[in-house]
Amino acid sequence: MSARVLVGVKRVIDYAVKIRVKPDHTGVVTDGVKHSMNPFCEIAVEEAVKLKEKKLVKEVVAVSCGPQQVQETIRTALAMGADRGIHVEVSGKDYETLGPLQVSKILAALAKKEQADLIILGKQAIDDDCNQTGQMTAALLDWPQGTFASEVNIEADKLKVVREVDGGLETIKIKLPAVVTADLRLNTPRYATLPNIMKAKKKKIANVKPADLGVDVSSRLEVLKVDEPPQRQGGVKVETVNDLVRKLKEAGRI
Amino acid sequence: MAAARVLARGVRLGSYSIGRSRSLIFNTVQGRGIAACIDPSIGLTDEQKEFQKVAFDFAANEMAPHMAEWDLKEIFPVEAMRKAAQLGFGGIYVNPDVGGSGLSRLDTSIIFEALSTGCVSTTAYISIHNMCAWMIDTFGNNEQREKFCPDLCVMQKFASYCLTEPGSGSDAASLLTSAKLQGDHYILNGSKAFISGGGDTDVYVVMCRTGGKGPKGISCLVVEKGTPGLSFGKKEKKVGWNSQPTRAVIFEDCAVPVTNRLGAEGEGFNIAMKGLNGGRINIASCSLGAAHASVLLARDHMCVRKQFGETLSNSQFLQFKLAEMATKLVASRLLVRQAAVALQEGRPEAVSLCSMAKLFVTDECFSICNQALQIHGGYGYLKDYAVQVFIYLFIYLFIYLFIYLSFVFFFRY
């Protein structure tokens, strides 16, 4: 198959880092904090590389939007087996307000430009938990979508996707080209091997600006305030059911 | 085990603790915490950061959860090490044409430092294995390299380094194991002591006497397990480091083909010492990983433990102690990395630097780990808390690769 897969990867604060809110409450501290690839994006890259190894797709292209540092994230994708990378340069204020709508516009434009047949994304990013980019990208391209995928199989020109939904597992068949978003149990991402990391150095990362793709990255949303969740209060033990009912009434809960 | 998971969490880079008292060990001017200033990825190239990331991830996922079990049950973790070898950790500085990864000494140091955050004892064994593979790669002829290195690089076979004898530790050149030439074989007689991996490994790089007294009479032979006349002593009961078995290696009229000799007769001591230079950097790197983990554990404990009505992180004395620990760690890391670069470039001062690195770093890192344990107070002595693991590890690190021999080399050579 001569399919080309576009994989979106996002650079986020590492999952193990304890998050601090900035003193001015405009966001969280990112300076000097360890960042890494969004775990769901790792799963997306792994799935794309697996498809390439099964010879079901020809080329895997890793894409990331952001400032210079996102090249590290693209390199990690290359070390895992992606063939080349595209760095969409977005920095400064634009980067701070970059959200799913702008990213999906960028991905849609890139998909057309690169003539991609499949887009695989992580289901959501662990910093904003939006769970919107995949769906919006599919809508902009008017492509079918298989979200929360825990299994993906290519059968001729169709994609069989098993989705993890609230009611259980749903299996759908969608036509290619399509957008798939990866859920946790889709696969276990591989470690990059030392030889692959060295090979990744030679792989190309192209630089593109959103304007070149005809995308306006200005945001219609403004973040007013960011706060820590309230400190957890201790609970109260009660002796009888009547006490419980009385306390709930006092607290205005019933 | 809970402690292992705490350890795996604690060593994540750039992790801050939540808590009101954290502001006092957080630089409010620069907005950076202690974890940022001791970050081991400072000054590295992008590629080195990738190597380090893989090693950290591997250590956290494949080694740290099992470290306590391996130590308690004295398991030699063959499967985990083979997984590491698949990533390229079996022959890190061995040439790619025989299956190695062809990286530099500095890359190697970075990798071992990160791996040791998962299990110091296993990482130290992996570093010995790497040292042996390198010796065969560097001093062996093509037949020997092609025979041994590919299997060693993927850890299909494991290696041990045999220099020390019951009667020769620091005075390594006085070793007695004899190798008498008979036709196309050397007949070995003698014994080696404290051999890491001994009995469980497959390939033994043995320094033995083919000539007269002193260093010039020593040659290096590769002996394979199963050779008649090769046997092993009982497994030593060690205070720690139980994920690698330690046994005496005994030669009784053990016939080894001349084709297994690395280099020429009389070059053995030179080969042994060259291997040890890298070995010292590797072991110093393992110490760094342990010390880094200890600093983060101490920091976390200080943010949580309260005495005299406030958290320990409010105590100026302990803040100074933590700052000293951080300083020692960064200084140690710089020395190790400098020594690694010097060795890679073949600079004349490389041997001294490697010896200095081993000497200084094990001392300083021990002090860091000890301090971290003290900060934990009584809790530091409990096995549920990860911090105690490092102390008895260090007792071995002092001895390992001859701390006194390090002194000797520093001054004599």
Side-chain angles (χ1 to χ4, degrees):
Chain A
M1 210 183 184
S2 60
R4 180 174 290 138
V5 182
L6 216 61
V7 182
V9 295
K10 187 177 182 187
R11 180 176 180 264
V12 298
I13 296 179
D14 188 85
Y15 77 91
V17 170
K18 293 204 174 96
I19 310 293
R20 267 179 64 90
V21 174
K22 278 200 249 187
D24 60 3
H25 292 272
T26 55
V28 298
V29 176
T30 52
D31 255 348
V33 172
K34 178 170 198 249
H35 284 69
S36 50
M37 190 190 292
N38 182 36
F40 294 108
C41 297
E42 277 179 11
I43 297 175
V45 173
E46 174 66 22
E47 195 60 24
V49 173
K50 270 205 168 104
L51 288 173
K52 193 175 89 159
E53 283 170 353
K54 288 192 212 158
K55 301 222 195 301
L56 295 170
V57 301
K58 196 185 65 178
E59 197 188 22
V60 176
V61 183
V63 181
S64 194
C65 308
Q68 188 60 24
Q69 293 96 309
V70 306
Q71 295 218 353
E72 281 168 24
T73 315
I74 300 176
R75 289 252 169 251
T76 306
L78 295 175
M80 284 173 73
D83 298 294
R84 58 185 170 92
I86 300 177
H87 171 204
V88 182
E89 290 174 18
V90 180
S91 39
K93 202 79 187 70
D94 282 339
Y95 182 60
E96 280 168 39
T97 57
L98 193 67
L101 183 57
Q102 296 95 313
V103 173
S104 47
K105 285 181 185 168
I106 291 171
L107 289 176
L110 275 175
K112 292 204 189 104
K113 182 162 170 253
E114 298 288 331
Q115 296 176 310
D117 302 284
L118 180 58
I119 298 180
I120 308 183
L121 305 174
K123 73 170 180 182
Q124 65 196 62
I126 59 171
D127 51 5
D128 54 19
D129 283 327
C130 282
N131 182 7
Q132 296 167 0
T133 309
Q135 293 85 333
M136 284 180 177
T137 309
L140 288 168
L141 287 167
D142 200 25
W143 285 5
Q145 54 183 264
T147 52
F148 311 110
S150 64
E151 216 182 296
V152 173
N153 283 308
I154 296 188
E155 293 172 2
D157 64 335
K158 291 207 178 47
L159 217 56
K160 194 165 102 175
V161 181
V162 178
R163 308 176 57 223
E164 289 196 3
V165 296
D166 288 345
L169 294 175
E170 179 192 53
T171 309
I172 58 172
K173 230 180 201 168
I174 53 178
K175 272 204 215 147
L176 286 169
V179 175
V180 170
T181 68
D183 207 328
L184 190 63
R185 281 161 280 273
L186 180 58
N187 58 49
T188 307
R190 65 193 61 191
Y191 297 108
T193 64
L194 298 184
N196 281 348
I197 294 174
M198 291 191 290
K199 279 190 211 142
K201 244 194 342 188
K202 302 197 184 80
K203 294 180 183 173
K204 289 207 184 337
I205 299 181
N207 284 319
V208 177
K209 292 204 174 43
D212 299 340
L213 300 168
V215 174
D216 168 26
V217 286
S218 58
S219 177
R220 280 90 168 142
L221 298 174
E222 188 192 335
V223 172
L224 296 176
K225 195 159 165 245
V226 176
D227 271 325
E228 272 178 28
Q231 293 281 355
R232 196 179 158 161
Q233 302 294 331
V236 176
K237 268 192 174 151
V238 291
E239 294 295 312
T240 70
V241 173
N242 287 334
D243 279 342
L244 175 60
V245 172
R246 187 174 47 83
K247 278 215 183 285
L248 286 173
K249 279 189 174 156
E250 278 170 19
R253 300 290 184 201
I254 50 171
Chain B
M1 189 177 152
R5 232 148 289 164
V6 165
L7 177 61
R9 285 284 169 180
V11 303
R12 284 293 181 174
L13 305 176
S15 54
Y16 298 135
S17 291
I18 280 190
R20 267 148 286 166
S21 51
R22 132 205 90 184
S23 59
L24 287 165
I25 48 174
F26 182 83
N27 183 328
T28 45
V29 171
Q30 286 195 330
R32 297 164 70 81
I34 187 172
C37 64
I38 58 171
D39 186 339
S41 66
I42 292 173
L44 298 184
T45 64
D46 280 344
E47 200 186 39
Q48 286 166 337
K49 286 185 194 169
E50 279 296 323
F51 297 145
Q52 190 181 58
K53 177 178 178 304
V54 177
F56 266 123
D57 286 345
F58 187 84
N61 297 330
E62 309 287 337
M63 294 168 83
H66 308 291
M67 169 183 83
E69 189 197 353
W70 290 341
D71 185 67
L72 191 65
K73 296 196 182 150
E74 298 189 9
I75 297 172
F76 188 48
V78 170
E79 282 320 307
M81 289 195 286
R82 285 200 171 130
K83 271 194 200 164
Q86 271 168 21
L87 303 183
F89 295 148
I92 302 178
Y93 47 112
V94 170
N95 272 306
D97 67 336
V98 284
S101 304
L103 298 186
S104 71
R105 299 300 185 135
L106 177 55
D107 299 329
T108 309
S109 167
I110 291 161
I111 290 169
F112 285 137
E113 186 186 340
L115 279 180
S116 63
T117 56
C119 178
V120 181
S121 161
T122 307
T123 307
Y125 171 72
I126 295 175
S127 76
I128 296 172
H129 176 94
N130 269 269
M131 177 171 76
C132 296
W134 173 82
M135 286 162 73
I136 299 176
D137 177 42
T138 309
F139 298 104
N141 56 36
N142 277 331
E143 284 86 41
Q144 291 162 334
R145 293 173 73 234
E146 276 158 31
K147 182 174 176 197
F148 295 111
C149 291
D151 281 339
L152 290 178
C153 290
V154 297
M155 287 190 172
Q156 185 55 38
K157 297 207 168 125
F158 291 93
S160 283
Y161 176 90
C162 303
L163 176 62
T164 302
E165 297 182 355
S168 59
S170 289
D171 186 9
S174 71
L175 63 85
L176 293 174
T177 299
S178 63
K180 293 209 171 10
L181 186 60
Q182 259 182 38
D184 57 354
H185 277 70
Y186 285 108
I187 308 299
L188 264 63
N189 274 293
S191 65
K192 297 290 182 185
F194 306 130
I195 302 307
S196 299
D200 285 345
T201 50
D202 312 283
V203 174
Y204 295 82
V205 180
V206 181
M207 267 44 77
C208 47
R209 193 165 297 288
T210 48
K213 272 202 201 164
K216 292 261 172 5
I218 295 173
S219 303
C220 182
L221 295 180
V222 179
V223 185
E224 296 179 74
K225 188 172 175 193
T227 308
L230 173 67
S231 62
F232 306 100
K234 69 169 183 19
K235 187 155 110 165
E236 307 288 0
K237 292 198 199 66
K238 302 199 296 289
V239 167
W241 286 61
N242 287 315
S243 75
Q244 26 163 312
T246 303
R247 291 190 177 88
V249 176
I250 304 159
F251 305 99
E252 288 166 310
D253 291 332
C254 177
V256 177
V258 172
T259 48
N260 276 20
R261 189 188 68 225
L262 294 183
E265 276 197 13
E267 283 185 351
F269 195 68
N270 200 26
I271 295 173
M273 291 301 111
K274 290 222 159 85
L276 287 184
N277 289 331
R280 292 199 185 93
I281 293 178
N282 295 341
I283 214 65
S285 309
C286 294
S287 313
L288 288 177
H292 183 94
S294 299
V295 172
L296 293 179
L297 286 170
R299 188 275 318 270
D300 286 343
H301 186 75
M302 278 170 62
C303 290
V304 163
R305 173 70 174 174
K306 281 189 169 165
Q307 286 287 270
F308 306 111
E310 48 182 21
T311 50
L312 296 187
S313 54
N314 281 352
S315 150
Q316 192 187 51
F317 177 76
L318 290 179
Q319 286 170 8
F320 286 173
K321 279 288 163 205
L322 203 61
E324 279 169 19
M325 287 159 69
T327 309
K328 286 179 183 183
L329 177 59
V330 174
S332 302
R333 192 177 282 144
L334 287 174
L335 182 51
V336 174
R337 293 185 177 176
Q338 171 84 314
V341 171
L343 188 62
Q344 183 69 35
E345 295 176 2
R347 287 200 242 124
E349 68 273 13
V351 177
S352 303
L353 276 176
C354 294
S355 303
M356 284 185 211
K358 160 60 167 71
L359 175 62
F360 182 79
V361 172
T362 45
D363 255 347
E364 292 304 294
C365 291
F366 174 75
S367 154
I368 292 170
C369 294
N370 185 30
Q371 196 59 60
L373 192 151
Q374 301 297 329
I375 287 175
H376 278 70
Y379 294 101
Y381 209 59
L382 302 180
K383 286 203 163 182
D384 288 325
Y385 281 72
V387 74
Q388 40 76 30
V389 151
F390 300 113
I391 293 305
Y392 60 79
L393 288 179
F394 270 92
I395 301 173
Y396 191 106
L397 282 169
F398 285 139
I399 306 164
Y400 181 76
L401 293 193
F402 324 114
I403 187 168
Y404 294 111
L405 189 54
S406 306
F407 257 121
V408 165
F409 274 92
F410 178 29
F411 289 116
R412 271 175 72 179
Y413 293 90

